[in-house]
């Protein structure tokens, strides 16, 4: 069991053998939503693979009972996702990918493992034209702010499970259609005897070059610090999470450090 209490601020443990979380007594008993291979065929580079059958596990709406009122009042939802370390053929393990309606963003935190977050911004008139692509490399304690207008996938680049949490507005649902229709993200990320490599998804008409970044270690206006679990913001500085419900009030130019 990997103890995630210090990284998450909650009583959580990762059971790697069972690909699951052990939840502390004060946490609501959320059952994970399982993302299966058969649901991901459309977004894979190799659509004929047959395993693994299960890819990742989403514990949605996780909270301590004493925080329920504040979470509802601030129109938020806290999730934890476990992403397995296996490969999808020779493609790195990834999530399905989604955009948000309107201008809503999202906030991720790496609790365990190694993550890449591949963001893409589509042209407003033609979703097959990708105007910006950012690859954010993150490790435990890092916070990844998803700016308005960016679709995104998470990629497990490590040999262990990747565990990430997220704060998101409770006022919308993710939109998966454009990733499904596009056969995945703008780039496929492979690992084979040539090492890690990126290939442009041929569905897209135009794709910008990848800009590589790491998360800023501290973003004061959002209350983010690499040494503090972001769940605790709800109790101490809930107003710092206002950008998740009122995204256009804020500037996002300092959320990444470009390499």
């Amino acid at each position: 069991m990997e103890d995630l209490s210090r990284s998450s601020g909650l009583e959580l443990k990762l059971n790697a053998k069972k690909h699951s979380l052990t939840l502390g007594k004060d946490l609501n008993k959320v059952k994970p939503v399982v993302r299966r291979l058969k649901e991901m065929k459309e977004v894979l580079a190799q659509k004929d693979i047959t395993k693994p059958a299960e890819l990742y596990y989403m514990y949605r709406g996780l909270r301590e009972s004493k925080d329920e009122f504040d979470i509802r009042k601030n129109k938020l939802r806290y999730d934890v996702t476990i992403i397995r370390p296996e490969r999808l053929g020779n493609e790195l393990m990834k999530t399905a990918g989604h955009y948000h309606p309107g201008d809503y963003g999202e906030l991720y935190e790496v609790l365990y493992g190694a993550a890449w977050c591949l963001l893409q911004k589509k042209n407003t008139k033609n979703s097959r034209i990708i105007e910006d692509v950012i690859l954010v490399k993150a490790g435990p304690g890092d916070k990844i702010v998803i700016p308005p207008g960016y679709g995104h996938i998470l990629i497990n680049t490590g040999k262990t499970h990747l565990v990430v949490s997220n704060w998101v507005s409770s006022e919308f649902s993710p939109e998966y259609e454009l990733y499904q229709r596009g056969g995945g993200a703008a780039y496929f990320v492979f690992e084979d005897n040539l090492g890690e490599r990126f290939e442009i998804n041929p569905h897209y008409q135009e794709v910008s070059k990848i800009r590589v970044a790491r998360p800023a270690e501290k973003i004061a206006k959002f209350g983010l610090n690499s040494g503090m679990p972001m769940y605790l913001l709800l109790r101490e500085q809930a107003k710092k999470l206002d950008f998740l419900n009122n995204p256009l009030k804020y500037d996002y130019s300092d959320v990444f450090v470009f390499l």
Side-chain angles (χ1 to χ4, degrees), residues 201-221:
N201 181 340
H203 164 83
Y204 293 91
Q205 292 176 353
E206 297 178 27
V207 176
S208 70
K209 291 183 178 180
I210 296 173
R211 299 193 290 154
V212 181
R214 60 176 174 79
E217 290 188 8
K218 188 173 184 178
I219 309 173
K221 65 184 172 230

Side-chain angles (χ1 to χ4, degrees), residues 164-202:
V164 298
S165 60
N166 67 272
W167 276 119
V168 69
S169 170
S170 62
E171 298 301 285
F172 74 91
S173 297
E175 296 179 341
Y176 296 94
E177 182 184 358
L178 288 178
Y179 276 86
Q180 293 169 341
R181 204 162 62 198
Y187 285 88
F188 293 115
V189 186
F190 298 106
E191 183 179 64
D192 51 26
N193 56 2
L194 299 175
E196 292 170 345
R197 57 190 174 85
F198 296 78
E199 288 189 9
I200 293 177
N201 181 340

